[in-house]
Each structure stands twice: as C-alpha cells, then as structure tokens.
Amino acid sequence: MANATDAGGMTFERVGDYAAARPTLSLADCPDCNGTGLMRTKTQQNGREYEIVSPCPRALLQHRANSFNAARLPAVQSGATFESYKPSNAEQHRALQVAKEFAFRWPALRGFVLSGPVGTGKTHLLSATLKHLSIELGVKVTYVEISLLYSQIRRGFQDGKSGGEIIGPLSQVDVLALDELGKGRGSQFELETLDELIARRYNAGKVTLFATNYSLKPPEERAQRGYFGTETALEAGKDSKLLCDRVGDRIYSRLCEMCDFVEFPGATPDMRRSPSMAGRKRP
Ligand SMILES: Nc1ncnc2c1ncn2[C@@H]1O[C@H](COP(=O)(O)OP(=O)(O)OP(=O)(O)O)[C@@H](O)[C@H]1O
Ligand SMILES: [Mg+2]
C-alpha cells in the first residue's frame, strides 16, 4: 500500500475541542477481516497449502486515525493541510517548505520554530505537519499549547499530581508541537516547567516543533548583554518582544541546536481578518 489513506480515505472533523480523524470505511464492516484487523489468505507452495495472516489495510487506517486523534490538535485545525496553506511572502514560502521537508523526510531533519504575528498560519503548519506524520507514517505526535499545559499542571497539583507526571509523557512522544512559546506570565513555575520539558526532550534527542508570537532575534539584540538565567528572565522578559528574553538563555540556546528558525515579517497579513474567511464553512 503506497500510503495509509489508499485503504479507503479518511474524514477529518471536530469532536468537542479537538480535531478527529475517522476512516471512511469502518473496520467492523470489513469483508476481508470481519473486524479482526487480520486477513487470512491461502497460498500453495511445493504442493502444500499454507495460510498467510497479514494486517488488514482498514486496521492500519484505524491505527493511523487513532495516532492522529491522540495528538489532540485544536478542533479549528481539523482541515489544515500543506496544500491549503497559501504563502503571501518569502518567509511563509520558506516556512511551508521547511515544514513539508521535515514531514516528508522524517526522521532525517531537526525541528523548526515558526515566529510571526497573529493569524499567519503558524498553528496551521504545525497541524499539517502532525497530520502528515500521524496519518501517513503512524508517528506518535502530540500538540500542546503552552498556557494550557501550565494550567493543566496547576490543576494537577490540586489532585496531588506532580508536574513531572504530566511532563513525562510529553518528553517521550516522537514529535511534540509546542505552540504559543513565550506566552504566559513568565513566572518561576512556568519557566521551570518549560525548562524541564525542553531539557528532557533535548537530552533524549527528541524532535520538537514550536510556534511563537515573539521574535527569534538573538540575545545580542538586547540593549545590555549579560547572562540571562531563569531569575533574570523573570524580570527582563516581562515586556520584551524577543523570545530569548521570554524563555531565558538556557532554553533559547537549546532551541538554536534543535531547530531551524523561520520568522515572518511584522506586516504578514492576519488571515483571520481576510475577506476570504467570510462565509467559510466551520471546520
Ligand atoms: N497562509 C495561509 N494560508 C491559508 N490559511 C491560512 C494561512 N494563514 C493562516 N490561515 C488560516 O487562518 C486561520 C488562523 O491561522 P493560525 O491559527 O494558524 O494562525 P497563527 O499564526 O497560529 O495565529 P496566532 O499567533 O494567533 O496563534 C486558520 O484558519 C488558518 O487555517
Ligand atoms: Mg497559533
């Protein structure tokens, strides 16, 4: 089979807060495997008859749909693909190319960070990348919006769960897309949580993709250069437009090694305000 969707297609829809994939042909009704996921065929060799057991393509498709659903992509991104992304400037062209190459050459390339103003398709490209990896290749992927992660961990504290219990699975997944990097109050708790997650993935050699509204310009662009540890970032990062100020030198340094950087210009149009969105169907 050339790819998973050849087995009959996949429908993408929103289920509650998340995007969901559903194989067009259900496994339960499969005439080839009767819902077992295994096909039995007979073959003759040297005058003897053998039974061969092989996985049913519909079971593979269901497995790929399950991988996509486990990613917990935002419901509004259920229709996001590389084909539906329309670049309006050179940097958006490059972002599309970087994301596609990453997905099509998996696992050869390092991750990427997309930086830009609101509504410029950063989450769209993260979603298209995770969709390709999970549906076409069955890679284990997860999407997380950073401020939702912080509130999930805070809620977990009330139930007696440690931050590590929530971060643990996120540090192990093959590809993690961390959205809205730099967002939040920049508190000690938030920076330590982020530091632990990124350091664990960095140490394990895991690939991480990021999107942010903050600029990727290096720390040299700061007025005064000095070591920027967590404590300094707490103070100086509050009003900064630079990601390195928002996350501190330790995290920024690791991002430089883990990722290709793509930054959209400030004038990149906000597609949410585009007339082409008027009358668009709900995803
Ligand atoms: N270049 C593009 N081509 C096609 N659709 C786009 C493009 N840019 C954005 N969109 C669409 O616009 C909407 C907003 O995009 P998205 O949520 O990816 O923006 P974002 O850059 O992540 O914004 P924010 O910084 O606010 O999170 C989505 O419906 C997305 O599919
Ligand atoms: Mg976004």
Side-chain angles (χ1 to χ4, degrees):
M1 178 166 51
N3 61 40
T5 42
D6 287 350
M10 193 81 84
T11 306
F12 296 94
E13 55 200 2
R14 51 194 296 168
V15 174
D17 292 344
Y18 302 107
R22 188 165 43 84
T24 318
L25 301 172
S26 105
L27 179 63
D29 304 334
C30 181
D32 297 326
C33 75
N34 297 316
T36 62
L38 293 174
M39 294 193 308
R40 294 169 192 281
T41 42
K42 293 207 163 52
T43 182
Q44 295 269 350
Q45 217 171 27
N46 300 331
R48 287 182 63 184
E49 189 175 73
Y50 295 91
E51 188 181 63
I52 296 176
V53 180
S54 58
C56 174
R58 284 200 199 183
L60 177 65
L61 205 57
Q62 185 60 58
H63 182 258
R64 300 287 169 90
N66 295 346
S67 300
F68 177 85
N69 297 342
R72 293 163 76 89
L73 284 164
V76 289
Q77 299 290 351
S78 55
T81 59
F82 293 129
E83 292 71 32
S84 62
Y85 187 77
K86 306 292 174 219
S88 69
N89 57 35
E91 289 78 5
Q92 284 189 318
H93 266 287
R94 186 166 160 252
L96 176 60
Q97 192 190 351
V98 165
K100 265 178 101 169
E101 262 205 66
F102 170 83
F104 282 82
R105 292 180 59 193
W106 167 262
L109 302 179
R110 64 180 183 167
F112 55 84
V113 189
L114 304 178
S115 154
V118 298
T120 52
K122 302 179 299 297
T123 305
H124 180 125
L125 284 177
L126 291 182
S127 305
T129 306
L130 297 195
K131 183 184 271 182
H132 179 91
L133 291 175
S134 55
I135 296 290
E136 301 301 341
L137 306 171
V139 179
K140 287 199 176 100
V141 298
T142 299
Y143 169 92
V144 166
E145 200 198 300
I146 197 67
S147 47
L148 297 183
L149 176 66
Y150 296 146
S151 38
Q152 194 192 347
I153 295 177
R154 281 201 192 90
R155 273 201 312 277
F157 287 154
Q158 288 158 14
D159 304 333
K161 274 195 194 155
S162 69
E165 277 178 68
I166 293 163
I167 285 181
L170 295 179
S171 38
Q172 280 158 21
V173 69
D174 291 332
V175 178
L176 176 69
L178 202 50
D179 207 352
E180 311 282 7
L181 186 63
K183 195 172 152 187
R185 280 177 285 178
S187 67
Q188 184 94 27
F189 157 75
E190 290 178 354
L191 286 171
E192 282 173 8
T193 301
L194 193 59
D195 190 292
E196 182 179 343
L197 177 57
I198 292 178
R200 280 174 76 164
R201 292 194 62 82
Y202 170 82
N203 291 340
K206 296 277 185 186
V207 176
T208 313
L209 314 176
F210 302 89
T212 180
N213 293 125
Y214 291 92
S215 170
L216 305 177
K217 290 196 180 94
E220 291 76 32
E221 305 264 336
R222 277 183 210 132
Q224 284 179 329
R225 174 77 187 124
Y227 172 69
F228 234 56
T230 304
E231 299 75 19
T232 339
L234 276 176
E235 273 320 302
K238 274 180 190 148
D239 305 317
S240 178
K241 299 273 184 281
L242 301 189
L243 183 68
C244 58
D245 288 348
R246 295 290 304 174
V247 299
D249 281 350
R250 270 178 54 80
I251 292 173
Y252 185 80
S253 167
R254 282 163 178 73
L255 294 184
C256 292
E257 188 181 333
M258 293 164 85
C259 292
D260 283 327
F261 284 10
V262 185
E263 181 156 351
F264 302 155
T268 307
D270 176 354
M271 288 297 283
R272 295 193 188 98
R273 292 165 58 189
S274 153
S276 65
M277 285 285 190
R280 250 177 49 146
K281 263 179 44 191
R282 234 179 123 198

